[in-house]
Amino acid sequence: MIRLFARALLASTLALSPIAVSAHEAGAKPAHGAEAHAPAGPLVTLGDLEISGAFTRATLPNAPVGGGFLTITNKGAAADRLVSATAPIAKETQIHEMALEGDVMKMRQLTDGIEIAAGETVTLAPGGLHIMFMGLNTALVEGEKVPVTLTFEKAGTITVDLAIGAAAAAKSMGH
């Protein structure tokens, strides 16, 4: 049981930290000082919201978790809120943040979602806000896409394809 927990924790760390997966393990090493990039997801619009740069990372076989990343810009005059996300690739999909508590980086579910203030942009990126895929049904393969359905408090629901980049992708090529 402890071994299973340790493996899940390690996989979680690998999935969310751009520096935790060595380029040797990922099979593609970015140039010194450069970040690995995932293909850019298309710009999609839902009401006053623009969603861009949607991507996820390839996972190792049997990895239990993965992360989803994207940018949301609110062009409207009122705030909106990302309240949930679902994906057919995982048993459960949650909205998470990583934040320092003292000297310790901790990840937690944001049960109230993420507010996107009027005229503001919120970026879900490795090491910060992200969509968490828990209990992956399949490995995420570089070059493929993953549909994720996002539900906003005011704008409604939209399904966005996340481009699957390299295991060490730190951001999409779209930003």
Side-chain angles (χ1 to χ4, degrees):
M1 181 73 168
I2 292 173
R3 180 179 279 167
L4 181 62
F5 176 75
R7 194 170 18 185
L9 182 61
L10 176 61
S12 172
T13 301
L14 292 175
L16 298 174
S17 173
I19 57 174
V21 176
S22 75
H24 178 73
E25 293 170 324
K29 182 177 181 178
H32 180 71
E35 297 176 318
H37 291 78
L43 173 69
V44 294
T45 301
L46 175 66
D48 292 328
L49 303 177
E50 287 183 353
I51 302 163
S52 62
F55 77 100
T56 186
R57 296 175 174 160
T59 59
L60 300 173
N62 300 317
V65 297
F69 315 101
L70 49 89
T71 298
I72 305 165
T73 299
N74 184 349
K75 300 240 178 204
D80 205 336
R81 179 172 293 276
L82 174 63
V83 293
S84 69
T86 59
I89 59 164
K91 291 180 181 135
E92 187 172 358
T93 303
Q94 299 179 350
I95 301 167
H96 278 200
E97 76 168 351
M98 294 188 71
L100 271 176
E101 289 184 18
D103 293 335
V104 179
M105 181 66 79
K106 293 192 173 186
M107 181 170 54
R108 68 181 179 103
Q109 181 181 10
L110 298 175
T111 55
D112 292 334
I114 300 169
E115 180 178 283
I116 302 98
E120 298 290 326
T121 297
V122 173
T123 300
L124 285 66
L129 298 169
H130 60 276
I131 297 168
M132 186 79 183
F133 306 115
M134 303 172 73
L136 288 174
N137 300 324
T138 184
L140 303 180
V141 178
E142 185 175 357
E144 295 183 356
K145 294 180 180 176
V146 173
V148 175
T149 300
L150 307 172
T151 300
F152 294 89
E153 193 172 72
K154 295 177 182 165
T157 299
I158 189 169
T159 298
V160 176
D161 285 332
L162 277 61
I164 302 175
K171 61 184 178 180
S172 79
M173 293 173 61
H175 13 195

